Amino acid sequence: NTVSRNVVSVFPNPASADLKINSSEVIESIAIYDAIGNLVREIKNVKANQYQLDRKGLESGIYFVKTMSEKNHQAIQKIVLQ
């Protein structure tokens, strides 16, 4: 019985420009939440292991990046935008 684990990295962190998101599984969707849990951006149908997130419109502060893989594995990363 094998347990598969989706490994996700978001970098650079902290960031002053665009972010790169890498995943060991194919990403289905990405959701960005602000520090109090409001959804501020959602990207659907990513269909790739890598994504470059344009930070335009995202103010400096703390955010949470939630990725959902095609296998329905979820990962949440805390990021700081400068």
Side-chain angles (χ1 to χ4, degrees), residues 6 8-9 19-32 41-54 65-71 73:
N6 186 22
V8 176
S9 61
L19 290 159
K20 289 186 173 40
I21 301 169
N22 287 342
S23 174
S24 61
E25 295 180 2
V26 175
I27 301 168
E28 178 64 31
S29 65
I30 300 168
I32 312 296
R41 187 174 299 169
E42 188 170 30
I43 303 105
K44 296 184 177 182
N45 298 313
V46 176
K47 307 284 190 215
N49 289 75
Q50 297 181 343
Y51 187 81
Q52 183 159 331
L53 179 68
D54 182 355
V65 177
K66 181 173 88 171
T67 55
M68 184 67 74
S69 76
E70 285 187 330
K71 296 179 181 178
H73 294 145

